[in-house]
Amino acid sequence: MRGTGGRFEDFLKDEGLLESCKALAYKQIIIDELSKKLETENITKVKAAQMLHTSRAQLSTILDPDNNSITLSPLSKIAAFIGKELKSEVIDSRV
């Protein structure tokens, strides 16, 4: 099967889906790293929730791959917990 020669990113942008796809990808990267840390360090969800100053239910919601409503605040906490820093920037999209 041969494509039209356009980039997939351009297609997503044209369809108005690019930003939501990026956000989901960033969330998934952070969640994968968190899951790996919990597994390798034998940290339970209850203990992780305590360490993140949240509830186990909230942590389960965050870890749910079908939940797309996570905000930057919990992502920032999780990034710090896994030894990362979440950076966000607003740039001119006309560049």
Side-chain angles (χ1 to χ4, degrees):
M1 184 171 163
R2 215 175 127 92
T4 62
R7 293 183 3 192
F8 186 62
E9 188 172 316
D10 293 335
F11 168 76
L12 292 174
K13 188 175 183 179
D14 291 345
E15 295 296 315
L17 300 171
L18 181 61
E19 293 310 312
S20 62
C21 286
K22 281 183 181 180
L24 289 175
Y26 296 145
K27 176 201 174 208
Q28 193 59 52
I29 290 167
I30 291 172
I31 297 311
D32 288 348
E33 292 273 337
L34 174 62
S35 296
K36 189 183 320 176
K37 179 179 177 81
L38 297 181
E39 184 178 328
T40 59
E41 296 183 19
N42 293 321
I43 300 172
T44 65
K45 283 185 183 179
V46 172
K47 182 65 177 170
Q50 291 171 346
M51 296 167 79
L52 290 164
H53 306 288
T54 191
S55 68
R56 187 211 45 82
Q58 178 63 33
L59 183 60
S60 291
T61 300
I62 291 167
L63 290 169
D64 180 356
D66 295 325
N67 179 355
N68 302 329
S69 64
I70 190 168
T71 62
L72 288 176
S73 180
L75 281 180
S76 294
K77 284 183 184 179
I78 292 169
F81 182 71
I82 61 175
K84 308 285 184 188
E85 180 182 349
L86 183 64
K87 286 189 167 185
S88 182
E89 60 182 30
V90 177
I91 59 172
D92 191 346
S93 63
R94 295 172 289 196
V95 173

